[in-house]
């Protein structure tokens, strides 16, 4: 997948689950500019609530603000 991203065959990837959990701190996926690794949403939250939180934290990250709901 990293090769496909680097070659432009994939525009981006949002990843949540991996063969090995947690994903190693030095894994290249954490730093790849076309990869997003959102937090697990293991709850009964609605899709709307989950997407709203992801969009808000994306906005905050872009503006250099503190992210919500960090663990």
């Amino acid at each position: 997948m990293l090769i496909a991203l680097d070659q432009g065959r994939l525009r981006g990837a949002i990843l949540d689950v991996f063969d090995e959990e947690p994903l190693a701190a030095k894994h290249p996926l954490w730093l790849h500019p076309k990869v997003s690794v959102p937090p697990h949403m293991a709850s009964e939250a609605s899709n709307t609530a989950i997407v709203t939180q992801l969009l808000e934290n994306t906005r905050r990250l872009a503006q250099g603000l503190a992210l919500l709901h960090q663990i």
Side-chain angles (χ1 to χ4, degrees):
M1 176 188 51
L2 288 173
I3 292 170
L5 287 165
D6 291 337
Q7 293 176 345
R9 291 185 287 142
L10 283 177
R11 200 164 95 187
I14 300 172
L15 307 172
D16 183 41
V17 179
F18 305 96
D19 289 335
E20 293 182 33
E21 295 277 355
L23 190 61
K26 295 192 181 213
H27 196 285
L29 289 173
W30 287 116
L31 299 175
H32 199 286
K34 294 181 179 180
V35 172
S36 177
V37 182
H40 287 293
M41 294 292 196
S43 70
E44 299 269 339
S46 69
N47 289 342
T48 300
I50 293 168
V51 170
T52 299
Q53 180 179 329
L54 285 171
L55 291 173
E56 175 61 17
N57 272 340
T58 300
R59 182 190 70 77
R60 288 172 166 269
L61 183 64
Q63 293 180 353
L65 300 172
L67 302 181
L68 299 176
H69 313 296
Q70 293 188 66
I71 300 173

